[in-house]
Amino acid sequence: MDYRHSHPDHHSRALTRLLHSLPKIDLHRHLEGSLRLSTMAAIAGDCGLELPGAQVEQFRHLVQVVPEDRRHADVFMSKFGTLREFYRSPEAIERVAYEAVADAAADNVVYLELLFTPAALARKMGFALEDVTAWVIGAVERAQADFDIDVRLLVTINRHESVELGEQQVEIAIANRERGVVGVNLAGAENHYSGAPFADVFRRARAAGLHTAIHAGEWAGAESIAEALDVLGAERLGHGVRVLESDRLVAEARARGITFEVCPTSNVQSGVAPSYGAHPLGAMVRAGLRTTINTDAPSVSGIDLTDEYAHAVEEMGLSLADLKQCLLNAAHAAFLPDAERAALVARIRAALSDLPLS
Ligand SMILES: [Zn+2]
């Protein structure tokens, strides 16, 4: 995948090789944050899209966090605005979806829950939400046939967009339950918008048998987590790293077995954590919370899941045993029927038992 920065020199090569070889699980990866830079250049060429230059280095700063960027949620979000320019044709959307799965498989991700936002893919060209959804599903099915990876999809709704648009997308999720859509997710500008107006939308999704994961406790504090759990019925929290601001919520999350989808580099780049070393993941693990490690937006962040595992072990204070537990937590939290989830847990457990990760 051509969007990755090289592994930092201080990450040991032997560790990186080991982590790369592990069968991994990503529960929180946005399709709209998983575009190869070379594909963007090709789409721009095909569609006559104006970029500052045809070379990747000339437009990288528009679509990826670069060292000069201010570490702020608004800057991080701005990259997704530019990325919407590339969803120009059915072929472009299918290509991006296929490659997102291929790139995860190349990193030995064996189970991926891919978040996608029909409204984001449809907006630029005025495509129908149903059509972009069908293109994504078809491409993901083809990629699963070509690579050793299982993918499930979560339709993602932005809290900074209208409730009506959210309702429309939930209906599309419900209509595609038989084609790999297993849940709905609330994302977007948490620092500016409450999720409460979407309570009925998520109630409707749950009633139809869909799972729910909510971005909360990332760009807003503990009150946003309380809202996600109590008002929106979240089974898993996207990020949730600010849970440590409230002892009551830590206890509640532990009691309810809430899974946290932690995405370290995303948090550092959007200013949630000042550095890897100061990131709360280690404290969350020690607090007995059910944590997992994920990528969020790998092409925006310039990382893959192996990088995130390496950061966790080498800079964030996790032991290899902690890392192993995070991976098992992810298997247990997969939005799969019981028998399939048990098979995934067994596969991960068997792979880990062969490795020096005690
Ligand atoms: Zn996210």
Side-chain angles (χ1 to χ4, degrees), residues 28-30 76 115 185 187 215 218 238-239 261 263 266 296-297:
H28 188 135
R29 180 180 302 213
H30 296 266
F76 192 82
L115 284 52
N185 190 299
H215 285 66
E218 178 193 17
H239 305 283
E261 305 161 358
C263 309
S266 169
D296 203 11

Side-chain angles (χ1 to χ4, degrees), residues 18 112 171 273 299 336:
L18 175 70
L112 169 65
E171 293 308 320
S299 73
L336 286 172

Side-chain angles (χ1 to χ4, degrees), residues 67-330:
E68 309 81 83
D69 278 336
R70 194 163 54 98
R71 301 304 199 222
H72 191 278
D74 294 346
V75 176
F76 192 82
M77 284 284 285
S78 73
K79 312 292 178 181
F80 293 90
T82 308
L83 287 164
R84 287 188 177 196
E85 294 294 321
F86 293 91
Y87 312 131
R88 294 278 175 143
S89 66
E91 295 75 24
I93 291 170
E94 287 169 349
R95 177 173 176 177
V96 164
Y98 182 91
E99 290 175 352
V101 175
D103 289 346
D107 190 29
N108 289 318
V109 173
V110 297
Y111 179 75
L112 169 65
E113 289 188 7
L114 187 63
L115 284 52
F116 77 107
T117 311
L121 299 168
R123 180 74 43 83
K124 179 74 192 176
M125 303 302 289
F127 295 132
L129 299 172
E130 290 84 356
D131 288 344
V132 297
T133 300
W135 301 334
V136 168
I137 289 173
V140 167
E141 285 174 350
R142 285 194 295 281
Q144 285 186 90
D146 289 348
F147 304 101
D148 176 21
I149 185 169
D150 279 324
V151 184
R152 298 296 182 274
L153 294 163
L154 275 78
V155 166
T156 300
I157 295 161
N158 279 320
R159 54 172 82 214
H160 56 261
E161 295 178 316
S162 74
V163 172
E164 186 189 1
L165 192 55
E167 288 167 353
Q168 290 170 13
Q169 292 175 98
V170 162
E171 293 308 320
I172 289 170
I174 292 168
N176 286 284
R177 278 173 303 185
E178 302 302 316
R179 292 196 66 193
V181 174
V182 294
V184 289
N185 190 299
L186 186 67
E190 188 198 4
N191 48 338
H192 300 300
Y193 292 85
S194 158
F198 294 87
D200 284 343
V201 176
F202 279 85
R203 197 170 295 122
R204 162 85 178 126
R206 283 199 307 279
L210 289 170
H211 292 283
T212 52
I214 309 284
H215 285 66
E218 178 193 17
W219 299 333
E223 73 289 350
S224 177
I225 294 178
E227 178 185 87
L229 295 179
D230 300 335
V231 179
L232 300 174
E235 294 169 66
R236 300 194 318 231
L237 291 172
H239 305 283
V241 295
R242 292 178 62 179
V243 68
L244 297 176
E245 294 172 7
S246 163
D247 291 343
R248 181 188 75 77
L249 281 173
V250 169
E252 184 179 340
R254 226 172 11 219
R256 286 169 60 170
I258 298 295
T259 295
F260 291 77
E261 305 161 358
V262 178
C263 309
T265 297
S266 169
N267 292 161
V268 172
Q269 290 180 340
S270 71
V272 177
S275 66
Y276 292 102
H279 190 283
L281 174 61
M284 293 169 75
V285 170
R286 287 188 291 280
L289 294 169
R290 231 179 249 203
T291 54
T292 63
I293 300 171
N294 312 275
T295 54
D296 203 11
S299 73
V300 171
S301 292
I303 49 101
D304 63 17
L305 190 54
T306 295
D307 292 319
E308 299 303 80
Y309 280 22
H311 285 303
V313 173
E314 299 216 311
E315 296 167 84
M316 299 168 72
L318 266 66
S319 67
L320 287 172
D322 293 332
L323 185 71
K324 178 177 170 178
Q325 189 58 52
C326 285
L327 179 49
L328 280 170
N329 290 344

Side-chain angles (χ1 to χ4, degrees), residues 2 35-46 56 59 86 92 95-96 99:
D2 62 7
L35 279 73
R36 292 182 191 168
L37 299 174
S38 56
T39 295
M40 290 184 229
I43 293 172
D46 290 348
V56 163
F59 67 85
F86 293 91
R95 177 173 176 177
V96 164
E99 290 175 352

